[in-house]
Amino acid sequence: MNAKIKNMEDFAQVCGISRPTVSKYFNDPTSVRKSTRAQIEAALDRYEYRPNIYAINQNRRQTKNIGLVVPNLTDPFFAAIARTIESLIVDAGFNPLLLSSHGGPDQEVANLNSLRAIKPAAVLLAPLGRASHADMLAAFAQEIPTVLFDANIDNVGEAFFGSDNHQSIGIIVDYLCETGEPPVFFEMKTPINPNAFKRREAYRAAMAKRGLEAHLIQVDGDGWGFEEIGFREGSRMIAQRNLPSNTVLCSNDRLAIGLLSAAYESGLRVGAGAGSALRIAGHDDHPFSRYTSPSLTTVSQDYDAIAARSVDTILNLIESEDRLDQREVTLFEGRLVKRGSA
C-alpha cells in the first residue's frame, strides 16, 4: 500500500502484468482481456496511480524501422537470407536495420539494446541459440514485437519460423541409404546452433526407422569456424582409417566443405562413381556448396518461405498493435539437392 509508483514500469511490476499489456490498456481498455482489465483497475484503485498520457503517447510513437539481427554476416548463408528479408521490409515501406552478433552472446544483447534505444516498430531475430542469453532476449521481446527465425529459443518472441530438420535429415538419410552405404553423422560435440541437436536426433530416428545402427562422429570445436573444424577433424578422422562407412553426412554444409578439403589433401576421391573412396553430404544448401569440387549433395532449406512468413507476421503485429494469443511455430520442409559428392 505504501509503494511509490513513479512510472508505468513500476506500475506494471506491482500489477504482475507485462509493460506492453499495461500500455495497451491505457491506450484502449477494451483491447485487453476482461480479467486483465479487472486486475489493472484494481491496482489503479489500490495505488492511486495515474499515468502521464502525454508521455505514453510519446513513447508509443512508432518508427518506420524494423531491426534485423543475425548471428554472423561473414557467413554467406546469413548474408543471403538477410538480403531477402531486407528486400521484403523495404517493399513494405519500412527501413531495415541490419546488425550482426559476430557469434557472440554479449554482442547479441548489445545489438538488441541499441535497437531498444531507437524504439523500432519490431525486430526479426536469428538468435545464436545455445550461447544466447535467453532471459535477456525474452525480456526484450516483452517490450518490442519480436519474431525469431532459423534457430528457436522456447518462449522468446511472438513466433518462430524455421526448417523441419526431422523431415530434411530424413530425406537425405533415405537417399544415401538407397544409393550406397548407410551414412555416419559428422558433427561437433557441443554445437552452438540448436538446429544441430535436432539434426542429430533426426539422424538417429531415420537410421532406426530403417533398422540400422546410428554412428555419431563427434569432433572437438567451438564457435563459427566450421570449415576449419571440418578440415582439421576430418583430416584426423581420415588418417585413423576407422570409419564404419564410406558415406559421411555432415551436420551442416560448412563442416562438409572442410571435410571435402581434408579428403582432397589426403588423396581420397570423393563422389558416387567408380573409383571414389568416400561419399560426403551436408545440409543447408550453403551458397558455396554448388561450387565445391565435387559439388556438394545437400538439403536446401526453404528460406524464401521462411523469410516471407517472418516478415508477414511482423508486419501484421505492427499493423494490429497487438500480440499473438499463442506463440506460433511453423516449420518448412527441405528439398534434396543431388550433386557430385554423393
Side-chain angles (χ1 to χ4, degrees):
M1 289 291 290
N2 296 324
K4 186 174 182 180
I5 308 300
K6 299 177 182 177
N7 51 43
M8 197 178 298
E9 283 75 12
D10 290 348
F11 181 69
Q13 187 172 7
V14 298
C15 278
I17 296 173
S18 71
R19 167 67 170 76
T21 301
V22 171
S23 177
K24 186 177 175 184
Y25 166 85
F26 285 122
N27 180 56
D28 178 9
T30 63
S31 66
V32 301
R33 293 187 180 92
K34 186 176 180 181
S35 59
T36 303
R37 187 163 67 247
Q39 188 175 346
I40 293 173
E41 290 171 353
L44 284 171
D45 291 338
R46 181 180 181 187
Y47 294 102
E48 298 182 354
Y49 169 69
R50 292 297 177 267
N52 183 333
I53 298 300
Y54 174 78
I56 290 173
N57 289 334
Q58 285 293 99
N59 288 334
R60 287 188 68 257
R61 281 183 184 171
Q62 198 177 79
T63 69
K64 296 293 286 184
N65 299 320
I66 294 178
L68 173 56
V69 182
V70 297
N72 201 324
L73 270 176
T74 62
D75 185 336
F77 182 77
F78 285 110
I81 182 65
R83 283 197 299 271
T84 301
I85 291 176
E86 279 186 311
S87 177
L88 293 170
I89 290 173
V90 170
D91 288 346
F94 286 81
N95 307 312
L97 300 177
L98 177 59
L99 298 170
S100 171
S101 299
H102 303 292
D106 292 339
Q107 183 61 50
E108 184 173 65
V109 172
N111 287 339
L112 296 179
N113 286 336
S114 296
L115 290 170
R116 180 188 277 117
I118 62 173
K119 295 184 173 64
V123 169
L124 287 159
L125 169 64
L128 296 174
R130 178 178 62 87
S132 293
H133 298 307
D135 55 340
M136 295 184 183
L137 269 59
F140 176 86
Q142 284 290 322
E143 298 178 36
I144 296 171
T146 303
V147 166
L148 270 58
F149 66 98
D150 183 64
N152 192 18
I153 298 178
D154 291 338
N155 303 316
V156 174
E158 301 294 304
F160 166 71
F161 302 106
S163 296
D164 186 342
N165 288 294
H166 277 270
Q167 178 268 344
S168 58
I169 289 291
I171 60 174
I172 198 163
V173 167
D174 286 346
Y175 168 73
L176 294 173
C177 288
E178 290 163 5
T179 55
E181 292 186 10
V184 298
F185 193 69
F186 185 72
E187 62 169 352
M188 293 159 59
K189 287 180 184 176
T190 53
I192 193 169
N193 192 299
N195 286 320
F197 293 100
K198 293 180 174 64
R199 292 172 191 176
R200 175 191 300 168
E201 296 311 310
Y203 164 75
R204 283 176 166 151
M207 295 291 281
K209 185 177 179 181
R210 287 180 162 268
L212 299 171
E213 183 180 357
H215 292 278
L216 301 178
I217 300 175
Q218 298 179 316
V219 300
D220 293 326
D222 198 10
W224 290 83
F226 300 115
E227 293 88 355
E228 179 190 355
I229 294 167
F231 176 79
R232 182 188 68 235
E233 299 300 324
S235 297
R236 182 177 301 153
M237 175 185 71
I238 291 169
Q240 291 173 350
R241 299 183 182 277
N242 60 355
L243 275 174
S245 170
N246 70 1
T247 303
V248 182
L249 172 59
C250 298
S251 179
N252 62 59
D253 283 354
R254 292 182 61 190
L255 281 173
I257 289 170
L259 181 57
L260 281 171
S261 181
Y264 177 83
E265 292 288 330
S266 302
L268 295 181
R269 181 175 177 180
V270 175
S276 296
L278 199 63
R279 294 194 304 160
I280 296 174
H283 191 290
D284 292 336
D285 199 18
H286 188 280
F288 292 167
S289 63
R290 69 190 65 190
Y291 303 116
T292 58
S293 182
S295 55
L296 184 64
T297 291
T298 184
V299 177
S300 175
Q301 301 188 55
D302 193 353
Y303 260 98
D304 285 342
I306 293 171
R309 187 65 174 274
S310 298
V311 173
D312 282 347
T313 300
I314 214 74
L315 293 175
N316 288 335
L317 288 168
I318 294 169
E319 182 179 356
S320 67
E321 296 187 359
D322 203 355
R323 298 298 185 100
L324 299 178
D325 291 333
Q326 185 173 356
R327 188 173 189 263
E328 180 182 356
V329 175
T330 300
L331 303 179
F332 294 83
E333 291 190 348
R335 176 178 58 86
L336 180 66
V337 180
K338 302 174 187 178
R339 297 196 182 107
S341 70

